[in-house]
């Protein structure tokens, strides 16, 4: 077996040194009744055979890059430069553990420090952690943190929050025992969250741009929150948008929870992704997750360490701010490398391209009889109202094959006619032509 | 000052006391932050001009600059290559980090995860376009269920701790469904920190149960605490002392007799995979760290994946989504409803469907090993750990008698009166080219040294390691040992770092040196 270096001779010699008659003797503490004789599974295989079997499985899927593709809804198809994937596969990064021994993990610690800085800059916040699992779990952790900070137990969730994010918060609320008052999705844009804040509100959770792609000025909401002692928690599912939009930190956000997949990370059918978490300096000791800090070594040279770990489970156990241990390490590296390649000019231009493509596409779809674009404002994703159920249209277009968008009915009943459509830099004019033509035909 | 003088002085800003002008030491190269290397107008990507289109950002376009540095591709590649060279990794050496299972990460698995049909697949595509992905999830589930003997598995948890959360929530849901509101969870002293943190996060009071002199749960003490108020026990098996809980069947019986559930932390499943099915031990629920037992890379701290196998009584409460067989192939059930039998679900734990990239890697690993190879994995992991134990137990102090499972636990009695601590000893190992073992965990022994070699180390590699550790242990008894060990490590990119200073005045991000520039003006 190619991953196992011991030879039969090694095993015999080692048992002799140990003084055990057989390997079975080493398992003597296992109760007789629990010793499985034979487990019915296929035998070992070579690389070629495994590759053949898994490739056949992969071939049954329609890869996003092989068709005109307009899906968003919390995961976005962007071009990831070749050097990103090359660098994250370096064994020194790929096969290292959490940097518990700083003298031999300065590489990981330094990129995490760069990552924390990048996330703080992008979101306009003061401090960011070294990642959580994904945007949805980061949001749930953020609500739990707001409850700790304010000593209150009722949060208000905007109807424009991604339904998966809302559901993850709901699950935590149910088992931890706090309230999460989720508002219904409001396609017409009349939602008044400020009116729902009272002295018992720990935070208001609002997505920017929201699930339907709409962008709104959060400053009035921030003021309303702060007037009542509540925190404003801003969720971002498309982090590239912050290359074009005023960052939440400039609008009064107290916590930003975001999905970082769009930068550096592929779609991967939903994971692994990377949860971004940023807040204000004054809340740093209430944050979940790991933090890397700057310090000096015994020779006075600058270096990095994991710090403020008295918040964490391995020190604090049942009093920890979160139970998280393993986070999104390598996905943060991909994020950091991609963002380093983009830089200021690259990111702002990438965001401008995304926005322009979406504006073009929205204009073309709006020109189809019976189709209306719901959004006044958006970044690279917007919602159209169709004269027929969106899910059926999406299924029909998938046969051509065109992946047209996310039907809102996949998440929420009662919105059958809404389709969320995204256009990133990967969408070509020919892709748009194909979508417009196919949609026209299927609505005829 | 000339630009080249400035360049040299920037080197020195990294720290005093260097023997070379640059501060570099041969292949160990000082590397500034990306923020210290940027230039306006430089980029590592070439993007086309955006098509002409009106701005529809609702008046919320970004006003100020972000502050990101501009670097070209060669600079970025060199920067991260240099950073990588400051890391220890399983690819470069023995990494005996107990409980963390630093085994070889096969590269086939990386290639498979990058097949466009898996890597370039959106989680919200129509079902007709993702049949292969759902098939892969279904196959992974079959392997995990077969290896554990359990009837159901929840794939979505993102790591071990997230799996714990999933498991404890399903237990609570099952108790609530029978109107049984219990308040406490029992956790052995030796448990990993995530166990009590998880129990507390689900609203339970945590009660500690002591270990006996053999490093196992004290069954009598456990029974004394078991009453109608206990929701579950969270037990790691093999436990964090590297020992099989030999009374586990009795523990399970006692737990079930009290009406409680048996949660097993499966972080150490690699020791028994293919040999022992947790269902046969009376376990109701167990998370599996795919990033330990099934070799998905740790990536410097993640991502992981923590599927949870569930007994019949807990299966109806599994989190969404579920993958089911329908008449037209596989289907994802994403909402709770009676028709699909999901009305008892705890709900959703994470966005989308789980860590697919890790599922592909883990399945590639399982298929490579097969049922026979996985059993050999457990055999060799246990054999290697016992060989380490045999080679070291006369110079280090083994905490418990008898054969161990996949890891060997020592405590710091061998350092008594030497002035050397477990930490010092670990740092001296670094100079010898080894990553230290897990230290000061588990908490049940003093100054713990927990060594897990894994099955992917050769006998030669173990012999070298044992030889070095023996020499180091001898050195602790020589004159001046305390100072010598305390100075270690000497040959690393950085010497010991001041963690106290880091926590006292946290600097958690880079900031432009505005203040100093102004002060100089
Ligand atoms: C015994 C044990 N339990 C739980 C965990 C937590 O797993 P994860 O880091 O995947 O969340 C670990 C790993 O760190 C562990 O060693």
């Amino acid at each position: 077996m190619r991953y196992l270096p011991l030879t039969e001779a090694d095993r015999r010699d080692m048992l002799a040194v140990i003084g055990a008659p057989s390997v079975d003797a080493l398992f003597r503490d296992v109760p007789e009744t629990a010793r499985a004789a034979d487990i019915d599974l296929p035998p070992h295989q070579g690389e070629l055979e495994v590759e053949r079997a898994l490739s056949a499985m992969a071939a049954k899927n329609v890869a996003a890059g092989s068709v005109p593709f307009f899906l968003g809804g919390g995961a976005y198809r962007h071009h990831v430069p070749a050097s990103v994937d090359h660098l994250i596969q370096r064994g020194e990064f790929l096969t290292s553990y959490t940097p518990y021994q700083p003298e031999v993990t300065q590489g990981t610690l330094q990129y995490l420090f760069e990552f924390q800085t990048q996330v703080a800059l992008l979101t306009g916040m003061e401090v960011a952690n070294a990642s959580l699992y994904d945007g949805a779990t980061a949001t749930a952790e953020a609500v739990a943190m707001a409850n700790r900070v304010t000593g209150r137990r009722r949060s208000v969730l905007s109807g424009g929050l991604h339904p998966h994010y809302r559901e993850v918060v709901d699950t935590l609320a149910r088992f931890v025992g706090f309230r999460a008052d989720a508002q219904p999705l409001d396609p017409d844009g009349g939602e008044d969250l400020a009116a729902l804040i009272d002295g018992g509100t720990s935070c208001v959770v609002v997505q920017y741009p929201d699930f339907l792609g709409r962008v709104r000025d959060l400053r009035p909401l921030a003021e309303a929150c702060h007037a009542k002692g509540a925190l404003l928690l801003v969720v971002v599912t498309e982090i590239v948008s912050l290359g074009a939009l005023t960052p939440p930190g400039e609008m009064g956000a107290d916590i930003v929870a975001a999905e970082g997949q769009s930068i550096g990370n592929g779609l991967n059918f939903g994971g692994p992704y990377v949860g971004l978490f940023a807040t204000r300096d004054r809340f740093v000791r209430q944050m979940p997750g790991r933090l890397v800090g700057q310090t000096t070594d015994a020779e006075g040279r600058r270096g990095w360490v994991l710090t403020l770990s008295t918040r964490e489970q391995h020190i604090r156990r049942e009093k920890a701010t979160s139970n998280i241990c393993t986070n999104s390490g390598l996905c943060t590296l991909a994020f950091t490398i991609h963002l380093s390649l983009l830089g200021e000019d690259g990111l702002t231009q990438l965001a401008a391209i995304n926005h322009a493509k979406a504006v073009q596409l929205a204009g073309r779809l709006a020109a189809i009889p019976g189709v209306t674009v719901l959004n006044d404002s958006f970044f690279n994703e917007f919602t159209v109202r169709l004269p027929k159920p969106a899910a059926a249209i999406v299924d029909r277009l998938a046969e051509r094959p065109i992946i047209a968008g996310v039907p809102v009915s996949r998440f929420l009943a009662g919105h059958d006619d809404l389709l969320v459509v995204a256009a990133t830099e990967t969408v070509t004019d020919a892709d748009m032509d194909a979508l417009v033509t196919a949609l026209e035909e299927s609505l005829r | 000052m000339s630009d080249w003088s400035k360049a040299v002085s920037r080197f020195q800003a990294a720290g005093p006391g260097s023997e070379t002008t640059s501060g570099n030491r041969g292949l160990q190269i000082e590397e500034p932050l990306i923020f210290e290397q940027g230039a306006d107008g430089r980029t590592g990507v070439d993007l086309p001009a955006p098509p002409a289109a009106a701005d529809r950002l609702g008046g919320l376009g970004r006003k100020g600059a972000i502050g990101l540095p501009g670097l070209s591709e060669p600079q970025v590649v060199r920067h991260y290559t240099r950073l990588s060279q400051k890391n220890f990794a399983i690819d470069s050496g023995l990494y005996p980090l107990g409980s963390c299972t630093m085994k070889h990460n096969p590269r086939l698995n990386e290639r498979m995860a990058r097949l466009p049909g898996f890597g370039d697949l959106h989680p919200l595509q129509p079902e007709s376009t993702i049949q292969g992905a759902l098939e892969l999830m279904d196959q992974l589930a079959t392997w995990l269920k077969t290896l554990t003997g359990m009837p159901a598995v929840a794939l979505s948890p993102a790591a071990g701790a997230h799996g714990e959360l999933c498991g404890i929530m399903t237990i609570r849901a099952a108790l609530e469904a029978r109107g049984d509101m219990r308040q406490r969870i029992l956790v052995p002293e030796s448990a990993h920190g995530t166990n009590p943190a998880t129990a507390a996060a689900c609203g339970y009071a945590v009660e500690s149960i002591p270990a006996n002199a053999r490093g196992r749960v004290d069954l009598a003490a456990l029974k004394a605490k078991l009453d109608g108020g206990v929701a579950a026990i969270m037990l790691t098996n093999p436990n964090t002392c590297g020992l099989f809980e030999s009374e586990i069947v009795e523990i399970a019986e006692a737990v079930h007799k009290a009406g409680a559930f048996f949660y097993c932390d499966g972080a150490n499943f690699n020791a028994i995979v293919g040999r022992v099915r947790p269902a046969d031990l009376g376990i109701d629920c167990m998370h599996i760290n795919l990033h330990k037992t099934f070799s998905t890379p740790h990536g410097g701290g993640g991502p992981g994946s923590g599927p949870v196998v569930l007994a019949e009584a807990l299966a109806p409460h599994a989190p969404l989504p579920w993958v089911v067989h329908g008449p037209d192939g596989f289907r994802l059930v994403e909402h709770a409803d009676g028709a699909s039998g999901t009305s008892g679900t705890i709900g959703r734990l994470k966005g989308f469907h789980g860590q697919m990239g890790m599922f592909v890697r883990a399945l590639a690993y399982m298929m490579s090993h097969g049922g026979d190879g996985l059993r050999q994995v457990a055999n060799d992991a246990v054999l290697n750990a016992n060989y380490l134990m045999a080679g070291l137990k006369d110079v280090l102090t083994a905490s418990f008698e008898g054969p161990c499972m996949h890891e060997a636990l020592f405590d710091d009695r061998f350092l008594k009166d030497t002035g050397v601590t477990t930490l010092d000893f670990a740092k001296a190992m670094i100079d010898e080219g080894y990553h230290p073992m897990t230290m000061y965990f588990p908490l049940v022994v003093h100054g713990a040294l927990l060594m897990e070699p894994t099955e992917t180390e050769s006998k030669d590699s173990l012999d070298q390691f044992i030889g070095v550790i023996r020499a180091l242990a001898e050195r602790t008894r020589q004159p001046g040992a305390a100072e010598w060990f305390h100075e270690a490590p000497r040959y690393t990119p950085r010497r010991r770092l001041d963690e106290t200073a880091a926590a006292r005045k946290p600097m958690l991000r880079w900031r432009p040196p505005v203040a100093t520039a102004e002060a100089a003006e």
Side-chain angles (χ1 to χ4, degrees), chain B residues 10-71:
Chain B
R10 210 177 63 191
F11 274 136
Q12 264 122 34
S18 174
E19 290 152 30
T20 57
T21 305
S22 57
N24 299 335
R25 300 177 190 186
L27 291 180
Q28 284 180 25
I29 299 192
E30 292 297 307
E31 182 62 13
L33 293 162
I34 47 165
F35 302 97
E36 296 160 340
Q37 305 183 42
D40 288 346
R42 188 165 60 202
T43 179
V45 294
D46 290 311
L47 297 170
D55 174 328
R56 295 188 66 179
L57 295 173
L60 288 166
R62 193 180 255 282
K63 304 283 181 319
I66 306 164
L68 297 171
L71 288 92

Side-chain angles (χ1 to χ4, degrees), chain A residues 1-5 11 14 24 27-29 34 36-37 42 44-45 51 57 60-62 64-65 69 72 75 77 85 89-98 101-108 110 113-114 116-117 121-122 125-126 133-134 137 164 167-168 171 174-176 215-217 242 244 246 267-269 271-272 285 293-299 301-302 307 313 317-318 323 327 330 336 340-345 349 353 355-356 375 377-378 410-411, chain B residues 14 25 31-32 34 36 41 43-44 48 51 56 60-62 65-69 79-80 83-84 86-91 95 97 100 105-106 111-112 114 117 119-122 124-125 129-133 135 161-162 169 172 191 193-194 198 200-202 216 271 275 281 297-303 334-335 346 348-352 355-357 368-372 375-376 380 384 403 405 427 430 439 455-456 494-498 503 507-510:
Chain A
M1 210 297 137
R2 61 190 181 277
Y3 307 143
L4 300 177
R11 294 183 181 113
M14 291 164 78
D24 284 350
F27 285 85
R28 69 174 195 202
D29 290 325
H44 65 272
Q45 296 182 64
E51 184 163 343
M57 234 183 267
K60 294 181 192 165
N61 300 319
V62 177
F69 188 83
R77 184 163 193 278
D85 200 42
Q89 286 197 74
R90 285 189 65 94
E92 302 92 327
F93 287 134
L94 183 74
T95 74
S96 189
Y97 200 71
T98 302
Q101 299 294 324
E103 300 88 347
V104 284
T105 45
Q106 283 296 304
T108 299
Q110 184 169 336
F113 187 78
E114 293 176 348
Q116 289 174 186
T117 306
L121 287 170
L122 261 185
M125 302 300 281
E126 288 160 0
Y133 304 133
D134 69 356
T137 57
H164 281 183
E167 290 166 24
V168 174
T171 305
R174 171 177 163 200
F175 289 96
V176 177
V215 187
R216 71 162 133 176
D217 191 345
L242 298 188
T246 302
L267 290 169
N268 289 319
F269 197 52
R285 282 168 207 275
Q294 184 176 317
T295 188
T296 50
D297 79 346
E299 294 179 357
R301 294 173 300 177
R302 180 172 71 172
T307 192
Q313 45 76 26
R317 299 178 75 86
E318 64 269 23
N323 75 337
N327 56 22
L330 205 69
T336 294
S340 297
L341 286 164
L342 287 166
E344 185 86 20
D345 293 353
Q349 188 161 0
I353 295 169
H355 184 53
N375 302 54
S377 61
F378 57 89
R410 175 155 182 172
F411 302 93
Chain B
R25 300 177 190 186
E31 182 62 13
I34 47 165
E36 296 160 340
T43 179
R56 295 188 66 179
L60 288 166
R62 193 180 255 282
I66 306 164
L68 297 171
H79 175 71
Y80 289 101
L83 291 195
S84 77
K86 297 174 198 289
N87 266 7
F88 197 98
I90 184 66
D91 274 2
Y95 207 132
L97 202 59
C100 302
N105 303 142
R111 183 188 284 177
M112 294 301 94
R114 285 167 173 80
D120 191 23
L121 206 59
H122 191 289
L124 301 176
Q125 286 183 209
T129 68
I130 55 166
Q131 286 299 305
E135 181 182 338
H162 206 219
M169 284 176 174
R172 181 148 163 181
T194 50
T198 298
C202 292
R216 272 84 172 180
R275 290 195 63 113
L281 301 170
H298 282 97
E334 298 184 285
H335 301 281
I346 58 169
R348 178 174 286 280
L349 282 174
K350 146 177 218 315
F352 308 118
Q355 306 282 65
M356 179 68 170
S368 293
H369 271 297
D372 53 334
R375 190 179 172 93
Q376 193 64 50
D380 285 359
N384 275 355
M405 300 302 287
K427 300 298 183 192
I430 291 177
M439 287 180 278
E455 74 282 0
T456 60
R494 286 292 178 270
R495 306 285 298 275
R496 282 197 213 190
L497 290 127
D498 190 343
M507 277 177 71
L508 305 174
R509 59 177 285 193
W510 178 83

Side-chain angles (χ1 to χ4, degrees), chain A residues 103-104, chain B residues 25 28 88 424-436 468 472 484-496:
Chain A
E103 300 88 347
V104 284
Chain B
R25 300 177 190 186
Q28 284 180 25
F88 197 98
D424 296 332
F425 194 84
K427 300 298 183 192
M429 285 169 65
I430 291 177
D431 276 342
E432 300 289 351
Y434 292 109
H435 194 281
V468 168
L472 279 180
W484 189 83
F485 275 90
H486 200 68
E487 294 265 298
R490 294 171 175 78
Y491 308 116
T492 41
R494 286 292 178 270
R495 306 285 298 275
R496 282 197 213 190

Side-chain angles (χ1 to χ4, degrees), chain A residues 285-309:
Chain A
R285 282 168 207 275
Q286 292 295 337
M287 281 176 92
R290 297 203 179 96
L291 287 165
V292 173
Q294 184 176 317
T295 188
T296 50
D297 79 346
E299 294 179 357
R301 294 173 300 177
R302 180 172 71 172
W304 288 276
V305 290
L306 291 176
T307 192
L308 299 181
S309 44

Side-chain angles (χ1 to χ4, degrees), chain A residues 386-402:
Chain A
L386 302 177
K388 289 182 182 173
I393 302 261
V394 166
D395 285 342
R396 255 178 75 190
L397 264 54
E399 287 164 19
R400 293 179 79 122
I402 295 169

